[in-house]
Amino acid sequence: ASHVHHLLARVHPGRRLDAIFFPMIDELPTWLQGTRHSHSCPTTASTPLTVRAAFTAERDLFAAAGVRFVAPLLSLAQPELVERELFASCGPLLGLSKRENAAAVAAAYRHLDAHGAARRRRGGEVLAELEQSGHIGIVVLARPYHADPGVNHGIAEELQKRGYPVLS
C-alpha cells in the first residue's frame, strides 16, 4: 500500500499518471515435471484487493486523482488466459488491438522462457563448479517475492559475502 500511496501522493502530482497496474498473480509457470499446481501465496496474490479496499474505504482516492486502478487476476501458468485477461483489462486502456496484445504476451513469454533457461543454465554451471571444487552452496527455497531485500533481510547477500553461492 505504501508504494501505491507514493505513486498517488508524490509521483502523480508532478507527472501524468493514468493507471496503476497491480495484478493478482494466482499461478506461476514452473519448469518442474510432475507437479499438480504452482500457485502463489494467497495472501500475496490478493494484496491488490487489500490495497484497493484501503484506497476506496472512505472515498475513492483513485477516482479523485483521476487514476485507474487495474488489478486483473492472472494465472501466469496459462498463457492463453493471461492473453485474454490482459486484453480485457488493459486493451482499452492502452488502445491495443487483440493482435497487438497477443504479440506482446507472446514476446513476454519468450523472454520469460529465455530468462528461465539462462538461470537454469547458470545454476548448472555453479553446481558443476561446486562439485569440482568440493565447496558447498546454499539453496534457498522460498516464494518469488522473497527475492525482495525488504522481505528477506539481505540473507542471500550475506551468504554470498561469505563466499557461498546461493541458488534459488
Side-chain angles (χ1 to χ4, degrees):
S2 62
H3 294 19
V4 172
H5 178 267
H6 178 76
L7 284 172
L8 288 176
R10 303 282 171 112
V11 174
H12 183 50
R15 294 186 225 154
R16 181 176 173 181
L17 179 64
D18 297 321
I20 294 173
F21 181 72
F22 196 166
M24 296 177 285
I25 307 297
D26 174 48
E27 191 174 10
L28 301 163
T30 182
W31 297 273
L32 299 175
Q33 300 296 316
T35 61
R36 294 192 72 184
H37 298 287
S38 57
H39 289 284
S40 62
C41 168
T43 301
T44 302
S46 63
T47 297
L49 294 178
T50 305
V51 169
R52 181 182 314 201
F55 285 84
T56 59
E58 295 177 19
R59 70 182 185 116
D60 189 337
L61 298 176
F62 298 115
V67 174
R68 282 190 53 196
F69 187 78
V70 182
L73 178 63
L74 301 177
S75 177
L76 297 182
Q78 301 178 53
E80 67 285 350
L81 292 177
V82 170
E83 182 181 322
R84 193 167 57 222
E85 186 56 42
L86 284 177
F87 183 72
S89 62
C90 297
L93 175 69
L94 300 173
L96 294 174
S97 68
K98 281 190 174 187
R99 185 181 210 168
E100 291 169 319
N101 181 72
V105 170
Y109 275 96
R110 281 193 306 276
H111 286 282
L112 180 63
D113 290 344
H115 177 75
R119 301 307 324 142
R120 289 188 303 280
R121 190 170 37 256
R122 179 62 187 133
E125 292 168 0
V126 170
L127 289 173
E129 291 167 11
L130 290 172
E131 187 174 2
Q132 186 176 16
S133 69
H135 292 110
I136 64 169
I138 296 176
V139 175
V140 176
L141 296 174
R143 301 263 185 207
Y145 54 81
H146 286 147
D148 181 337
V151 175
N152 70 22
H153 306 289
I155 292 170
E157 290 79 5
E158 288 300 319
L159 291 167
Q160 288 173 335
K161 284 178 190 175
R162 288 172 170 74
Y164 297 105
V166 176
L167 301 122
S168 59

